[in-house]
Amino acid sequence: MLDDAHTPVTVVIGPAGWGKTTLLAQWAGGDAERRPVSWVTLDETDNDPVRFWTYVITALQRVRPGVGAEAMAALRVPGLEPLDVAVPSLINDLTAHNGQHEGVLVLDDYHLITDRRIHEAAEFLLSYLSAAIRVLIAARFDPPLPLARLRARGQLTEIRAADLAFAPEEAIGLVADVGGVALGAGQVAGLVYRTEGWAAGLHLAALALRGAADPVRRAEAIRGDDRHVVDYLAAEVLARLPADQRHFLIRSSALDRMSGPLCDAALDCDGSAERLDALERAGLFVVPLDEQREWYRYHRLFRDALRQELGRVTPAVTPGILRRAAAWWHASGDVEAAVRYLIAAGDQREAADLLIAADDEFLDGGAAATYLQLAESLDEALVRADPRLAIAMAAAAGFSSRPDQVDRLLDAAEAGLVGDDRPPRGWTSARAAIGTLRATFGPAAKLAAAVEEARRAVELEHDPTRDGYVISRLTLGVVLAGLDQQAEARALLSAARQGAETLGAPVFTRLIAAGALAMCLLDEGRVDDAGSVVAESASNAAGLEAALGEAAGGALALLRAAEGRLAYEAGRPDLARTTLERAARLARAAAHPSQTARVLVTLADALLATGDRAAARAVLAEAVEIAGTDTVFPGTLRRISAAEQRMGRGAARAARGDGRLFEELTDRELSMLRALQGPLSQREIGQELYLSLNTVKGYTRSLYRKLDVASRSDAVRRGRELGLI
């Protein structure tokens, strides 16, 4: 079925132990030269969009070096969702490889993925699959992907439990190979009937027959047609193993994955690598995770049975195993694994301390969602007791697109403050960090309060040698610029930019400050100063854009927009248009909605200057749509409104000049025409425009007369024909 499939997507669906992974592994290894296979084995810890797509791209790069390089860079940008840039970039790369041999991407154990954002991005990938790649998904149940749509289009191959079940004639060989006994066809058929052809059940049954005095009678005694048979058979298998092997199996089941050195450290023994190799060769459900046979895991069903035995026989040893495993992972540089094992061992305080110390490592590496997931595993009381942890969690929530959690976590941080003597690393004041985060991720409805929080943060962060000094000023400066308070914003952004350079802050931070400052200077008419900022940032900007592509939009959109405005001021409208179109691409990909709308308004003006009125209207309409659906600063809203008026006045003058309009419309009439496009009644339009109902009616009558129409719909239609709206 796999060989004959000519569909871009194949799903292999069946309960645990039905041979999904084995099937795909055997098929994938059958003709690797013709069919390069990229394989990702998933587990519960992969419910982080950044981690998931990092693993996918890494797997693809092993058979196609260089593919997804720009996508991988985009994944490292904090706060940027993979679906915004990384996944589209990956699809483009795969499409560019269409001339190569067909490749295969295997996503094994996909049922363990529960994050909605991963499913949405996976659906996007499946919808735009390149002809050069097939995707095979193995799961215990149907994943939340558009299988029905793929099925209807003939783009889906399905392999299910009925296809995976062993027939009696197939089971004869399995039982003989694993159990070392030759049963008659009747006995094997009985086993198949009682296990429903379930591969894991047959395998365990065969293990239970090893060395049995009467294999036939033991085979007939094996009952059960559901997964509970695992417990019985595992107990039977374990009871017949040598004591040291049984002891190792049970204790090592506390570990999610195993290597010789890890097991030696966690189990306080030696020779673990040899034991793991022997267990794999004995067919005891030990699965190698790499070609070098350095890392292993137990089959999930067998591990569950072993863990039940561990809890029953020696429960007191488990915390010690987990603590030693945590220490080994920490020494190996894997803080995440160390934290997971500490939490499992019940050492929450130590886990919290590790998380507090490693917050920058997670957030700067694009692993904010993983950080938040780990921290949310801790007791709420522990989070409330340490403001540093709550602050780091709030930042992680903001950067992983969960702004609804930010206020709650910052409230917990404030409630836990006793004085202000335990600020986060790089800050003088915990209160300043809290205020800056509220201003960064707070809802638009609380903008006034956020400004006051940010002002207090700037006052508290007075030490220019700390990161908090730069971040607090940059945050307040950006907000004030969005409120058209340019003079104060300029001073703050200038201080932030200078401080970032002095501290050697990440280039991303330095370019954000430079772009915001340059736009602010242009708004004040200080063209030469803005030009100096853009010129001084040119080298860093080019390097970042070359490295990240459109993922650099969060840092570069405003800087490129300032560059475009400078070209416009210099009387070079064509260069301004080209530069601003580039700025708009960057903004759409990765910038804040308010920044995107601001860039689009600037582009609309440049397009109008080059005479492309249709393109200008389209771009301005895009800005209006953003303003209607996302958080946009008041200053940007005013610029959109002013641009609409300019567009309408320009169109009205053009229509008047060529005789299509006999009398020019006033600004108020143009505003009325724009309002008539929407669903508001005349009374509601009056409320929006602060006009009485009678005044609205008067403007409407005047508008109808000038447009020579008799109804609202005709007025809107005529306005669009003339390019007024």
Side-chain angles (χ1 to χ4, degrees):
M1 292 176 72
L2 288 170
D3 280 336
D4 294 340
H6 298 293
T7 59
V9 181
T10 296
V11 292
V12 183
I13 308 294
W18 281 81
K20 301 181 294 295
T21 301
T22 302
L23 165 69
L24 292 178
Q26 291 178 349
W27 178 79
D31 190 358
E33 289 186 5
R34 181 180 65 83
R35 186 177 53 227
V37 176
S38 305
W39 187 293
V40 182
T41 298
L42 300 161
D43 63 31
E44 294 89 343
T45 66
D46 296 328
N47 278 291
D48 175 342
V50 172
R51 165 175 290 184
F52 177 92
W53 291 105
T54 297
Y55 285 172
V56 168
I57 295 169
T58 300
L60 290 168
Q61 287 177 340
R62 287 176 179 165
V63 297
R64 292 183 175 180
V67 72
E70 185 175 303
M72 189 72 92
L75 291 173
R76 294 194 292 269
V77 178
L80 186 60
E81 286 292 311
L83 188 52
D84 291 339
V85 176
V87 177
S89 174
L90 174 62
I91 291 171
N92 289 339
D93 266 12
L94 292 173
T95 302
H97 284 72
N98 269 350
Q100 297 190 1
H101 293 304
E102 179 188 79
V104 177
L105 171 64
V106 177
L107 301 175
D108 195 17
D109 285 337
Y110 191 84
H111 58 274
L112 296 173
I113 298 301
T114 57
D115 191 291
R116 171 188 53 80
R117 294 167 298 172
I118 295 177
H119 296 316
E120 288 176 354
E123 178 176 347
F124 187 79
L125 175 72
L126 298 182
S127 298
Y128 296 96
L129 268 182
S130 158
I133 193 80
R134 288 175 63 189
V135 175
L136 274 58
I137 298 173
R140 292 186 184 177
F141 44 80
D142 283 2
L145 297 171
L147 300 188
R149 186 174 73 218
L150 292 169
R151 187 183 298 120
R153 293 176 177 175
Q155 297 175 332
L156 179 69
T157 296
E158 299 174 80
I159 297 174
R160 297 188 175 270
D163 305 302
L164 298 169
F166 274 69
E169 59 271 19
E170 297 165 337
I172 289 173
L174 172 65
V175 173
D177 288 344
V178 176
V181 296
L183 294 180
Q187 285 82 29
V188 173
L191 276 178
V192 171
Y193 175 75
R194 291 191 293 276
T195 60
E196 299 179 351
W198 176 40
L202 288 167
H203 191 117
L204 280 165
L207 287 173
L209 299 179
R210 284 184 183 177
D214 189 342
V216 173
R217 179 170 295 179
R218 179 168 291 277
E220 292 174 347
I222 294 172
R223 301 288 174 189
D225 57 2
D226 59 25
R227 305 297 75 84
H228 295 300
V229 74
V230 173
D231 298 337
Y232 165 73
L233 292 173
E236 288 288 305
V237 171
L238 289 172
R240 297 176 179 278
L241 293 175
D244 65 328
Q245 202 173 51
R246 182 171 65 250
H247 187 62
F248 180 85
L249 277 168
I250 293 172
R251 295 173 76 236
S252 61
S253 69
L255 307 173
D256 294 322
R257 53 190 172 114
M258 304 160 292
S259 70
L262 172 58
C263 288
D264 283 348
L267 306 183
D268 196 17
C269 65
D270 52 33
S272 297
E274 292 77 13
R275 285 193 177 95
L276 289 167
D277 181 64
L279 288 170
E280 185 203 350
R281 284 187 281 104
L284 285 169
F285 291 92
V286 178
V287 181
L289 296 177
D290 54 44
E291 294 179 359
Q292 294 74 33
R293 297 287 201 276
E294 293 180 5
W295 285 95
Y296 299 85
R297 68 171 174 85
Y298 292 124
H299 188 285
R300 297 185 192 280
L301 283 171
F302 193 56
R303 183 192 65 188
D304 291 345
L306 290 173
R307 286 185 171 179
Q308 288 182 23
E309 194 72 5
L310 177 64
R312 185 181 68 82
V313 178
T314 54
V317 308
T318 304
I321 293 172
L322 297 172
R323 289 189 190 101
R324 289 190 292 272
W328 187 88
W329 281 114
H330 192 202
S332 300
D334 193 328
V335 175
E336 180 192 340
V339 169
R340 291 190 188 280
Y341 277 107
L342 285 171
I343 292 172
D347 291 349
Q348 294 211 1
R349 180 66 263 173
E350 189 174 347
D353 289 342
L354 277 184
L355 284 173
I356 291 169
D359 58 346
D360 286 347
E361 177 183 330
F362 280 87
L363 271 58
D364 292 345
T370 295
Y371 188 91
L372 190 61
Q373 180 190 82
L374 291 170
E376 286 178 334
S377 301
L378 301 173
D379 290 341
E380 183 70 23
L382 191 62
V383 175
R384 288 198 302 269
D386 197 324
R388 295 172 302 171
L389 180 57
I391 290 169
M393 289 175 67
F399 283 126
S400 55
S401 301
R402 292 181 59 186
D404 56 304
Q405 295 295 312
V406 174
D407 265 352
R408 180 185 67 82
L409 288 163
L410 293 178
D411 287 344
E414 278 191 311
L417 282 177
V418 179
D420 202 356
D421 56 347
R422 286 198 299 171
R425 187 172 57 258
W427 291 77
T428 302
S429 160
R431 294 190 187 279
I434 291 169
T436 300
L437 285 171
R438 287 199 195 278
T440 302
F441 297 113
K446 296 183 178 180
L447 184 58
V451 170
E452 293 310 309
E453 293 263 13
R455 287 189 191 282
R456 183 174 63 166
V458 167
E459 292 170 1
L460 292 170
E461 288 298 319
H462 47 73
D463 185 349
T465 66
R466 292 179 179 265
D467 293 338
Y469 178 91
V470 172
I471 297 170
S472 61
R473 281 157 180 76
L474 178 56
T475 300
L476 179 57
V478 168
V479 172
L480 291 178
L483 296 173
D484 279 343
Q485 298 179 29
Q486 271 79 16
E488 187 179 358
R490 169 176 41 81
L492 288 162
L493 292 169
S494 180
R497 178 170 176 253
Q498 182 177 348
E501 295 291 342
T502 302
L503 291 175
V507 67
F508 216 86
T509 303
R510 284 180 274 166
L511 290 172
I512 291 173
L517 176 59
M519 290 291 276
C520 196
L521 289 166
L522 285 166
D523 288 342
E524 291 186 300
R526 300 172 59 163
V527 177
D528 291 342
D529 291 340
S532 297
V533 172
V534 170
E536 290 164 7
S537 306
S539 177
N540 281 339
L544 188 69
E545 191 168 359
L548 298 182
E550 290 184 353
L556 292 182
L558 288 183
L559 191 65
R560 295 298 183 213
E563 190 178 347
R565 288 179 66 182
L566 286 167
Y568 186 86
E569 292 287 341
R572 305 178 66 186
D574 290 332
L575 177 61
R577 172 177 181 163
T578 302
T579 306
L580 287 166
E581 285 175 339
R582 181 180 176 192
R585 287 194 298 273
L586 289 165
R588 291 185 186 106
H592 186 279
S594 190
Q595 291 183 345
T596 304
R598 176 79 190 275
V599 171
L600 291 172
V601 170
T602 309
L603 172 59
D605 282 336
L607 291 168
L608 198 60
T610 60
D612 195 342
R613 190 175 299 278
R617 283 199 301 270
V619 167
L620 189 57
E622 185 182 350
V624 171
E625 183 177 353
I626 291 172
T629 57
D630 289 296
T631 300
V632 172
F633 282 123
T636 301
L637 290 175
R638 284 191 287 272
R639 286 178 176 81
I640 291 173
S641 179
E644 286 185 305
Q645 289 184 4
R646 286 194 298 275
M647 198 78 66
R649 284 197 301 271
R653 283 194 298 271
R656 181 96 186 277
D658 60 22
R660 291 176 297 142
L661 185 67
F662 296 107
E663 191 174 350
E664 194 158 339
L665 304 185
T666 67
D667 285 347
R668 183 62 78 182
E669 288 165 344
L670 285 168
S671 297
M672 191 65 59
L673 181 58
R674 287 195 298 274
L676 292 177
Q677 296 178 99
L680 299 181
S681 66
Q682 286 190 330
R683 187 178 299 279
E684 290 168 331
I685 289 173
Q687 292 171 350
E688 287 286 317
L689 299 178
Y690 302 100
L691 300 172
S692 70
L693 178 58
N694 285 335
T695 303
V696 169
K697 289 179 178 179
Y699 279 126
T700 303
R701 284 194 298 271
S702 175
L703 178 64
Y704 287 2
R705 177 180 57 78
K706 290 182 179 182
L707 294 177
D708 192 23
V709 297
S711 70
R712 179 172 182 163
S713 60
D714 285 344
V716 171
R717 177 184 53 76
R718 181 64 174 152
R720 287 172 178 162
E721 287 175 357
L722 295 172
L724 304 175
I725 52 176

